[in-house]
Amino acid sequence: MENHGRGSGPRPEGGRDDPLDPVSAPAPPDPLPYEGVWRFTASAVDASVPQARHAVRDLLFRQGVPLSDDLLQGLLLIVSELVTNVVRHAVLLSPTLAVEVAVGAEWVRVSVEDNHPYRPTALVADHDETGGRGLLLVREVTREAGGVCDVEHTASGGKVIWAALPLKPAQVP
């Protein structure tokens, strides 16, 4: 796994960004020890699903990211579902995939990138089918955690699907 260092990285909307006027703004605080962005690649094969899940889990533990058990399990489920989607649906045009973990002071973001150009849709699956619910599950886990998720096109013509979750529990009104 490659360590791409600490500091700025992709942040979810509403995250802490540099101000527009750096002259009059106070200096940003130093990053916390667990903040950073890490990215690794894998082949789009079945064995990559548990390998990606374990790599993300080990990274979060090694960095000391303050996660509740529920949040950790949700993140690992999201990683499993997103990598599985690449293995099942994008492998012909994308024999490799990339997993990125970005951690800020108050959030963690996981994303999976492939080179397949088509944007997936979260369709309601037939109750008799055993598959087809992965993106629905990702959206529900993300929503329940108070986070956001989306699909974006990459400059190379592929796509990246990401989910950003708050490190602190979502406030219930």
Side-chain angles (χ1 to χ4, degrees), residues 73-131:
Q73 295 308 314
L75 280 169
L76 298 179
L77 178 60
I78 289 168
V79 169
S80 293
E81 291 297 333
L82 295 181
V83 172
T84 297
N85 279 351
V86 175
V87 170
R88 288 190 181 160
H89 306 294
V91 67
L92 290 177
L93 296 177
S94 186
T96 61
L97 59 95
V99 176
E100 184 173 279
V101 179
V103 183
E106 299 174 358
W107 54 268
V108 59
R109 172 182 157 151
V110 293
S111 61
V112 175
E113 182 178 339
D114 65 60
N115 291 320
H116 197 288
Y118 298 113
R119 188 179 169 113
T121 56
L123 301 175
V124 177
D126 186 336
H127 292 292
D128 295 333
E129 293 184 27
T130 58

Short mmCIF file of all heavy atoms in Angstrom, two decimals, residues 73-131:
data_model
loop_
_atom_site.label_atom_id
_atom_site.label_comp_id
_atom_site.label_asym_id
_atom_site.label_seq_id
_atom_site.Cartn_x
_atom_site.Cartn_y
_atom_site.Cartn_z
N GLN A 73 -17.38 -1.16 10.65
CA GLN A 73 -18.09 -2.22 9.93
C GLN A 73 -18.80 -1.67 8.70
O GLN A 73 -18.82 -2.29 7.64
CB GLN A 73 -19.07 -2.95 10.85
CG GLN A 73 -18.39 -3.72 11.97
CD GLN A 73 -17.29 -4.65 11.48
OE1 GLN A 73 -17.46 -5.37 10.51
NE2 GLN A 73 -16.15 -4.62 12.15
N GLY A 74 -19.39 -0.46 8.81
CA GLY A 74 -20.03 0.17 7.67
C GLY A 74 -19.05 0.49 6.57
O GLY A 74 -19.31 0.23 5.38
N LEU A 75 -17.89 1.03 6.93
CA LEU A 75 -16.86 1.34 5.93
C LEU A 75 -16.37 0.08 5.22
O LEU A 75 -16.19 0.08 4.00
CB LEU A 75 -15.66 2.04 6.60
CG LEU A 75 -15.81 3.51 6.88
CD1 LEU A 75 -14.67 3.98 7.77
CD2 LEU A 75 -15.84 4.30 5.60
N LEU A 76 -16.17 -0.98 5.97
CA LEU A 76 -15.67 -2.22 5.38
C LEU A 76 -16.72 -2.84 4.47
O LEU A 76 -16.39 -3.40 3.42
CB LEU A 76 -15.23 -3.19 6.47
CG LEU A 76 -14.06 -2.69 7.33
CD1 LEU A 76 -13.71 -3.73 8.39
CD2 LEU A 76 -12.86 -2.33 6.49
N LEU A 77 -17.99 -2.71 4.83
CA LEU A 77 -19.06 -3.19 3.96
C LEU A 77 -19.10 -2.39 2.66
O LEU A 77 -19.22 -2.95 1.57
CB LEU A 77 -20.41 -3.10 4.68
CG LEU A 77 -21.63 -3.53 3.89
CD1 LEU A 77 -21.52 -4.97 3.44
CD2 LEU A 77 -22.89 -3.31 4.71
N ILE A 78 -18.93 -1.09 2.77
CA ILE A 78 -18.90 -0.23 1.58
C ILE A 78 -17.74 -0.62 0.67
O ILE A 78 -17.92 -0.78 -0.55
CB ILE A 78 -18.81 1.26 1.99
CG1 ILE A 78 -20.14 1.70 2.59
CG2 ILE A 78 -18.42 2.14 0.81
CD1 ILE A 78 -20.10 3.06 3.29
N VAL A 79 -16.56 -0.81 1.23
CA VAL A 79 -15.40 -1.22 0.42
C VAL A 79 -15.69 -2.54 -0.28
O VAL A 79 -15.46 -2.70 -1.48
CB VAL A 79 -14.12 -1.32 1.29
CG1 VAL A 79 -12.99 -2.00 0.53
CG2 VAL A 79 -13.70 0.07 1.75
N SER A 80 -16.22 -3.51 0.46
CA SER A 80 -16.53 -4.82 -0.13
C SER A 80 -17.51 -4.69 -1.29
O SER A 80 -17.32 -5.30 -2.35
CB SER A 80 -17.12 -5.76 0.92
OG SER A 80 -16.17 -6.08 1.89
N GLU A 81 -18.56 -3.91 -1.10
CA GLU A 81 -19.58 -3.77 -2.15
C GLU A 81 -19.02 -3.06 -3.38
O GLU A 81 -19.30 -3.46 -4.51
CB GLU A 81 -20.80 -3.02 -1.61
CG GLU A 81 -21.61 -3.80 -0.59
CD GLU A 81 -22.22 -5.07 -1.16
OE1 GLU A 81 -22.49 -5.14 -2.37
OE2 GLU A 81 -22.43 -6.02 -0.38
N LEU A 82 -18.23 -2.01 -3.17
CA LEU A 82 -17.71 -1.27 -4.31
C LEU A 82 -16.67 -2.08 -5.10
O LEU A 82 -16.66 -2.06 -6.33
CB LEU A 82 -17.12 0.06 -3.85
CG LEU A 82 -18.13 1.05 -3.25
CD1 LEU A 82 -17.43 2.34 -2.86
CD2 LEU A 82 -19.28 1.32 -4.21
N VAL A 83 -15.81 -2.81 -4.40
CA VAL A 83 -14.84 -3.64 -5.10
C VAL A 83 -15.56 -4.79 -5.81
O VAL A 83 -15.23 -5.12 -6.96
CB VAL A 83 -13.74 -4.16 -4.13
CG1 VAL A 83 -12.84 -5.18 -4.81
CG2 VAL A 83 -12.92 -2.99 -3.61
N THR A 84 -16.55 -5.37 -5.18
CA THR A 84 -17.34 -6.43 -5.82
C THR A 84 -17.98 -5.93 -7.10
O THR A 84 -18.00 -6.65 -8.11
CB THR A 84 -18.41 -6.97 -4.85
OG1 THR A 84 -17.76 -7.56 -3.72
CG2 THR A 84 -19.30 -8.00 -5.53
N ASN A 85 -18.49 -4.71 -7.11
CA ASN A 85 -19.10 -4.16 -8.32
C ASN A 85 -18.10 -4.08 -9.47
O ASN A 85 -18.44 -4.38 -10.61
CB ASN A 85 -19.69 -2.77 -8.05
CG ASN A 85 -21.04 -2.85 -7.40
OD1 ASN A 85 -21.64 -3.92 -7.29
ND2 ASN A 85 -21.54 -1.71 -6.98
N VAL A 86 -16.87 -3.69 -9.18
CA VAL A 86 -15.85 -3.63 -10.23
C VAL A 86 -15.58 -5.05 -10.75
O VAL A 86 -15.53 -5.28 -11.96
CB VAL A 86 -14.55 -2.98 -9.74
CG1 VAL A 86 -13.47 -3.05 -10.81
CG2 VAL A 86 -14.79 -1.53 -9.33
N VAL A 87 -15.41 -5.99 -9.84
CA VAL A 87 -15.11 -7.37 -10.23
C VAL A 87 -16.23 -7.96 -11.08
O VAL A 87 -15.97 -8.64 -12.07
CB VAL A 87 -14.86 -8.23 -8.97
CG1 VAL A 87 -14.79 -9.71 -9.30
CG2 VAL A 87 -13.59 -7.77 -8.26
N ARG A 88 -17.46 -7.68 -10.73
CA ARG A 88 -18.60 -8.26 -11.45
C ARG A 88 -18.99 -7.52 -12.72
O ARG A 88 -19.45 -8.13 -13.67
CB ARG A 88 -19.82 -8.32 -10.54
CG ARG A 88 -19.69 -9.35 -9.47
CD ARG A 88 -20.99 -9.54 -8.74
NE ARG A 88 -20.83 -10.54 -7.70
CZ ARG A 88 -21.62 -10.66 -6.67
NH1 ARG A 88 -22.65 -9.84 -6.54
NH2 ARG A 88 -21.41 -11.59 -5.77
N HIS A 89 -18.85 -6.20 -12.72
CA HIS A 89 -19.45 -5.41 -13.81
C HIS A 89 -18.47 -4.62 -14.66
O HIS A 89 -18.84 -4.18 -15.75
CB HIS A 89 -20.49 -4.44 -13.25
CG HIS A 89 -21.54 -5.12 -12.42
ND1 HIS A 89 -22.44 -6.01 -12.95
CD2 HIS A 89 -21.81 -5.05 -11.10
CE1 HIS A 89 -23.24 -6.46 -11.99
NE2 HIS A 89 -22.87 -5.89 -10.86
N ALA A 90 -17.25 -4.41 -14.21
CA ALA A 90 -16.34 -3.53 -14.94
C ALA A 90 -15.06 -4.22 -15.40
O ALA A 90 -14.25 -3.60 -16.09
CB ALA A 90 -15.98 -2.31 -14.08
N VAL A 91 -14.87 -5.46 -15.05
CA VAL A 91 -13.60 -6.13 -15.27
C VAL A 91 -13.18 -6.17 -16.75
O VAL A 91 -11.99 -6.08 -17.06
CB VAL A 91 -13.59 -7.54 -14.65
CG1 VAL A 91 -14.57 -8.46 -15.37
CG2 VAL A 91 -12.19 -8.12 -14.63
N LEU A 92 -14.13 -6.28 -17.68
CA LEU A 92 -13.75 -6.36 -19.09
C LEU A 92 -13.04 -5.10 -19.58
O LEU A 92 -12.13 -5.17 -20.39
CB LEU A 92 -14.97 -6.64 -19.96
CG LEU A 92 -15.56 -8.04 -19.81
CD1 LEU A 92 -16.82 -8.19 -20.65
CD2 LEU A 92 -14.53 -9.10 -20.16
N LEU A 93 -13.46 -3.95 -19.09
CA LEU A 93 -12.83 -2.69 -19.48
C LEU A 93 -11.87 -2.16 -18.43
O LEU A 93 -11.18 -1.16 -18.66
CB LEU A 93 -13.89 -1.64 -19.78
CG LEU A 93 -14.81 -1.95 -20.97
CD1 LEU A 93 -15.87 -0.88 -21.12
CD2 LEU A 93 -14.00 -2.10 -22.24
N SER A 94 -11.83 -2.82 -17.27
CA SER A 94 -10.98 -2.35 -16.19
C SER A 94 -10.41 -3.54 -15.42
O SER A 94 -10.96 -3.94 -14.40
CB SER A 94 -11.79 -1.44 -15.24
OG SER A 94 -10.94 -0.88 -14.27
N PRO A 95 -9.30 -4.11 -15.90
CA PRO A 95 -8.72 -5.26 -15.21
C PRO A 95 -8.09 -4.92 -13.86
O PRO A 95 -7.78 -5.82 -13.09
CB PRO A 95 -7.68 -5.78 -16.19
CG PRO A 95 -7.37 -4.64 -17.09
CD PRO A 95 -8.59 -3.78 -17.13
N THR A 96 -7.90 -3.63 -13.59
CA THR A 96 -7.41 -3.22 -12.28
C THR A 96 -8.35 -2.18 -11.70
O THR A 96 -9.11 -1.52 -12.41
CB THR A 96 -5.98 -2.62 -12.34
OG1 THR A 96 -6.00 -1.47 -13.17
CG2 THR A 96 -4.98 -3.64 -12.87
N LEU A 97 -8.27 -2.03 -10.40
CA LEU A 97 -9.07 -1.04 -9.68
C LEU A 97 -8.17 -0.35 -8.67
O LEU A 97 -7.09 -0.85 -8.36
CB LEU A 97 -10.26 -1.71 -8.98
CG LEU A 97 -9.94 -2.81 -7.96
CD1 LEU A 97 -9.89 -2.23 -6.54
CD2 LEU A 97 -10.97 -3.91 -8.03
N ALA A 98 -8.62 0.79 -8.20
CA ALA A 98 -7.86 1.51 -7.17
C ALA A 98 -8.79 1.79 -6.00
O ALA A 98 -9.95 2.14 -6.18
CB ALA A 98 -7.32 2.82 -7.73
N VAL A 99 -8.26 1.60 -4.81
CA VAL A 99 -8.98 1.92 -3.58
C VAL A 99 -8.23 3.06 -2.92
O VAL A 99 -7.01 3.01 -2.80
CB VAL A 99 -9.06 0.70 -2.63
CG1 VAL A 99 -9.73 1.08 -1.31
CG2 VAL A 99 -9.78 -0.46 -3.30
N GLU A 100 -8.97 4.07 -2.51
CA GLU A 100 -8.35 5.20 -1.82
C GLU A 100 -9.05 5.41 -0.50
O GLU A 100 -10.28 5.32 -0.40
CB GLU A 100 -8.46 6.46 -2.67
CG GLU A 100 -7.74 7.65 -2.05
CD GLU A 100 -7.72 8.84 -2.98
OE1 GLU A 100 -6.86 8.87 -3.88
OE2 GLU A 100 -8.57 9.73 -2.79
N VAL A 101 -8.27 5.69 0.52
CA VAL A 101 -8.78 6.01 1.85
C VAL A 101 -8.23 7.39 2.19
O VAL A 101 -7.02 7.60 2.17
CB VAL A 101 -8.32 4.99 2.91
CG1 VAL A 101 -8.84 5.38 4.29
CG2 VAL A 101 -8.75 3.58 2.53
N ALA A 102 -9.13 8.34 2.44
CA ALA A 102 -8.74 9.69 2.84
C ALA A 102 -9.35 9.95 4.21
O ALA A 102 -10.55 9.73 4.40
CB ALA A 102 -9.23 10.71 1.82
N VAL A 103 -8.53 10.40 5.14
CA VAL A 103 -9.00 10.64 6.50
C VAL A 103 -8.71 12.08 6.88
O VAL A 103 -7.57 12.55 6.76
CB VAL A 103 -8.32 9.68 7.52
CG1 VAL A 103 -8.88 9.91 8.92
CG2 VAL A 103 -8.49 8.23 7.09
N GLY A 104 -9.73 12.78 7.30
CA GLY A 104 -9.59 14.14 7.80
C GLY A 104 -9.81 14.14 9.31
O GLY A 104 -9.98 13.09 9.93
N ALA A 105 -9.82 15.31 9.89
CA ALA A 105 -9.99 15.42 11.33
C ALA A 105 -11.35 14.91 11.78
O ALA A 105 -11.47 14.35 12.87
CB ALA A 105 -9.81 16.87 11.77
N GLU A 106 -12.37 15.08 10.93
CA GLU A 106 -13.74 14.74 11.35
C GLU A 106 -14.45 13.80 10.40
O GLU A 106 -15.65 13.59 10.54
CB GLU A 106 -14.54 16.04 11.49
CG GLU A 106 -13.97 16.97 12.53
CD GLU A 106 -14.67 18.31 12.59
OE1 GLU A 106 -15.60 18.54 11.78
OE2 GLU A 106 -14.30 19.13 13.44
N TRP A 107 -13.77 13.23 9.43
CA TRP A 107 -14.43 12.36 8.43
C TRP A 107 -13.45 11.35 7.88
O TRP A 107 -12.24 11.49 8.01
CB TRP A 107 -15.01 13.21 7.30
CG TRP A 107 -13.99 14.11 6.68
CD1 TRP A 107 -13.72 15.40 7.04
CD2 TRP A 107 -13.05 13.78 5.65
NE1 TRP A 107 -12.67 15.89 6.29
CE2 TRP A 107 -12.24 14.91 5.42
CE3 TRP A 107 -12.81 12.65 4.89
CZ2 TRP A 107 -11.23 14.93 4.48
CZ3 TRP A 107 -11.79 12.67 3.95
CH2 TRP A 107 -11.02 13.81 3.76
N VAL A 108 -14.00 10.33 7.27
CA VAL A 108 -13.21 9.34 6.53
C VAL A 108 -13.94 9.06 5.22
O VAL A 108 -15.16 8.98 5.19
CB VAL A 108 -12.99 8.04 7.35
CG1 VAL A 108 -14.29 7.38 7.74
CG2 VAL A 108 -12.09 7.07 6.60
N ARG A 109 -13.16 8.99 4.15
CA ARG A 109 -13.73 8.77 2.83
C ARG A 109 -13.05 7.56 2.20
O ARG A 109 -11.82 7.47 2.19
CB ARG A 109 -13.51 10.00 1.95
CG ARG A 109 -13.89 9.81 0.50
CD ARG A 109 -13.59 11.05 -0.29
NE ARG A 109 -13.44 10.70 -1.69
CZ ARG A 109 -13.72 11.52 -2.70
NH1 ARG A 109 -14.13 12.75 -2.46
NH2 ARG A 109 -13.57 11.13 -3.93
N VAL A 110 -13.86 6.64 1.68
CA VAL A 110 -13.33 5.51 0.91
C VAL A 110 -13.86 5.64 -0.51
O VAL A 110 -15.00 6.06 -0.72
CB VAL A 110 -13.71 4.14 1.52
CG1 VAL A 110 -13.03 3.94 2.86
CG2 VAL A 110 -15.20 3.97 1.64
N SER A 111 -13.01 5.32 -1.47
CA SER A 111 -13.45 5.37 -2.86
C SER A 111 -12.83 4.22 -3.62
O SER A 111 -11.75 3.74 -3.28
CB SER A 111 -13.09 6.72 -3.49
OG SER A 111 -11.71 6.93 -3.48
N VAL A 112 -13.55 3.81 -4.66
CA VAL A 112 -13.05 2.76 -5.55
C VAL A 112 -13.17 3.29 -6.96
O VAL A 112 -14.22 3.78 -7.37
CB VAL A 112 -13.84 1.44 -5.37
CG1 VAL A 112 -13.39 0.40 -6.38
CG2 VAL A 112 -13.67 0.92 -3.94
N GLU A 113 -12.07 3.21 -7.69
CA GLU A 113 -11.99 3.74 -9.06
C GLU A 113 -11.74 2.61 -10.04
O GLU A 113 -10.98 1.68 -9.76
CB GLU A 113 -10.85 4.75 -9.13
CG GLU A 113 -10.69 5.42 -10.47
CD GLU A 113 -9.58 6.45 -10.47
OE1 GLU A 113 -9.20 6.94 -9.39
OE2 GLU A 113 -9.07 6.75 -11.57
N ASP A 114 -12.40 2.70 -11.19
CA ASP A 114 -12.15 1.76 -12.27
C ASP A 114 -12.15 2.51 -13.59
O ASP A 114 -12.46 3.70 -13.63
CB ASP A 114 -13.17 0.61 -12.26
CG ASP A 114 -14.59 1.05 -12.55
OD1 ASP A 114 -14.84 1.62 -13.64
OD2 ASP A 114 -15.46 0.82 -11.70
N ASN A 115 -11.80 1.82 -14.66
CA ASN A 115 -11.72 2.45 -15.98
C ASN A 115 -12.94 2.22 -16.85
O ASN A 115 -12.92 2.53 -18.03
CB ASN A 115 -10.46 1.97 -16.71
CG ASN A 115 -9.21 2.48 -16.05
OD1 ASN A 115 -9.15 3.63 -15.63
ND2 ASN A 115 -8.21 1.63 -15.94
N HIS A 116 -13.99 1.65 -16.29
CA HIS A 116 -15.22 1.42 -17.04
C HIS A 116 -15.97 2.74 -17.15
O HIS A 116 -16.17 3.42 -16.15
CB HIS A 116 -16.08 0.37 -16.34
CG HIS A 116 -17.13 -0.21 -17.22
ND1 HIS A 116 -18.24 0.50 -17.60
CD2 HIS A 116 -17.24 -1.42 -17.80
CE1 HIS A 116 -19.00 -0.27 -18.38
NE2 HIS A 116 -18.41 -1.44 -18.52
N PRO A 117 -16.42 3.12 -18.36
CA PRO A 117 -17.01 4.45 -18.54
C PRO A 117 -18.46 4.60 -18.07
O PRO A 117 -18.92 5.72 -17.87
CB PRO A 117 -16.95 4.66 -20.06
CG PRO A 117 -17.01 3.28 -20.62
CD PRO A 117 -16.26 2.42 -19.63
N TYR A 118 -19.16 3.51 -17.86
CA TYR A 118 -20.59 3.64 -17.55
C TYR A 118 -20.83 3.84 -16.08
O TYR A 118 -20.28 3.13 -15.24
CB TYR A 118 -21.36 2.43 -18.08
CG TYR A 118 -21.25 2.33 -19.58
CD1 TYR A 118 -20.57 1.27 -20.16
CD2 TYR A 118 -21.78 3.31 -20.40
CE1 TYR A 118 -20.43 1.19 -21.53
CE2 TYR A 118 -21.64 3.23 -21.78
CZ TYR A 118 -20.98 2.17 -22.34
OH TYR A 118 -20.84 2.09 -23.68
N ARG A 119 -21.68 4.80 -15.80
CA ARG A 119 -22.04 5.13 -14.42
C ARG A 119 -23.10 4.13 -13.94
O ARG A 119 -24.12 3.94 -14.59
CB ARG A 119 -22.61 6.55 -14.43
CG ARG A 119 -22.86 7.13 -13.10
CD ARG A 119 -23.38 8.56 -13.32
NE ARG A 119 -23.88 9.08 -12.09
CZ ARG A 119 -23.33 10.09 -11.44
NH1 ARG A 119 -22.28 10.68 -11.96
NH2 ARG A 119 -23.83 10.50 -10.31
N PRO A 120 -22.87 3.48 -12.80
CA PRO A 120 -23.85 2.51 -12.32
C PRO A 120 -25.10 3.20 -11.78
O PRO A 120 -25.08 4.37 -11.42
CB PRO A 120 -23.11 1.79 -11.19
CG PRO A 120 -22.16 2.82 -10.70
CD PRO A 120 -21.76 3.63 -11.91
N THR A 121 -26.17 2.44 -11.74
CA THR A 121 -27.41 2.95 -11.15
C THR A 121 -27.81 2.03 -10.02
O THR A 121 -27.62 0.82 -10.10
CB THR A 121 -28.54 3.02 -12.18
OG1 THR A 121 -28.71 1.73 -12.75
CG2 THR A 121 -28.24 4.02 -13.28
N ALA A 122 -28.34 2.60 -8.97
CA ALA A 122 -28.81 1.81 -7.84
C ALA A 122 -30.27 1.46 -8.12
O ALA A 122 -31.17 2.26 -7.86
CB ALA A 122 -28.68 2.59 -6.54
N LEU A 123 -30.48 0.30 -8.67
CA LEU A 123 -31.82 -0.13 -9.02
C LEU A 123 -32.42 -0.93 -7.88
O LEU A 123 -31.72 -1.60 -7.13
CB LEU A 123 -31.80 -0.99 -10.29
CG LEU A 123 -31.22 -0.32 -11.53
CD1 LEU A 123 -31.14 -1.33 -12.67
CD2 LEU A 123 -32.08 0.86 -11.94
N VAL A 124 -33.73 -0.89 -7.77
CA VAL A 124 -34.42 -1.71 -6.78
C VAL A 124 -34.40 -3.14 -7.30
O VAL A 124 -34.85 -3.41 -8.41
CB VAL A 124 -35.87 -1.22 -6.58
CG1 VAL A 124 -36.60 -2.12 -5.60
CG2 VAL A 124 -35.87 0.22 -6.09
N ALA A 125 -33.85 -4.03 -6.54
CA ALA A 125 -33.72 -5.42 -6.97
C ALA A 125 -35.00 -6.20 -6.68
O ALA A 125 -35.73 -5.89 -5.74
CB ALA A 125 -32.55 -6.08 -6.24
N ASP A 126 -35.24 -7.20 -7.50
CA ASP A 126 -36.34 -8.12 -7.30
C ASP A 126 -36.09 -8.87 -5.99
O ASP A 126 -34.98 -9.29 -5.70
CB ASP A 126 -36.40 -9.09 -8.48
CG ASP A 126 -37.60 -10.00 -8.44
OD1 ASP A 126 -38.14 -10.24 -7.34
OD2 ASP A 126 -37.99 -10.48 -9.51
N HIS A 127 -37.12 -9.06 -5.19
CA HIS A 127 -36.96 -9.74 -3.90
C HIS A 127 -36.44 -11.17 -4.03
O HIS A 127 -35.85 -11.71 -3.10
CB HIS A 127 -38.27 -9.74 -3.12
CG HIS A 127 -38.68 -8.37 -2.67
ND1 HIS A 127 -37.99 -7.67 -1.72
CD2 HIS A 127 -39.69 -7.57 -3.07
CE1 HIS A 127 -38.55 -6.49 -1.53
NE2 HIS A 127 -39.59 -6.40 -2.35
N ASP A 128 -36.67 -11.80 -5.19
CA ASP A 128 -36.22 -13.17 -5.39
C ASP A 128 -34.76 -13.26 -5.81
O ASP A 128 -34.16 -14.32 -5.76
CB ASP A 128 -37.09 -13.86 -6.45
CG ASP A 128 -38.53 -14.02 -5.99
OD1 ASP A 128 -38.75 -14.10 -4.76
OD2 ASP A 128 -39.44 -14.05 -6.85
N GLU A 129 -34.17 -12.16 -6.24
CA GLU A 129 -32.78 -12.17 -6.69
C GLU A 129 -31.84 -12.05 -5.49
O GLU A 129 -32.16 -11.40 -4.50
CB GLU A 129 -32.53 -11.01 -7.66
CG GLU A 129 -33.27 -11.18 -8.97
CD GLU A 129 -32.94 -10.08 -9.95
OE1 GLU A 129 -31.84 -9.51 -9.85
OE2 GLU A 129 -33.79 -9.80 -10.80
N THR A 130 -30.67 -12.67 -5.62
CA THR A 130 -29.70 -12.62 -4.53
C THR A 130 -28.70 -11.49 -4.71
O THR A 130 -27.95 -11.19 -3.80
CB THR A 130 -28.93 -13.94 -4.42
OG1 THR A 130 -28.29 -14.19 -5.67
CG2 THR A 130 -29.87 -15.08 -4.07
N GLY A 131 -28.65 -10.86 -5.88
CA GLY A 131 -27.71 -9.77 -6.12
C GLY A 131 -28.43 -8.51 -6.52
O GLY A 131 -29.65 -8.41 -6.47
#
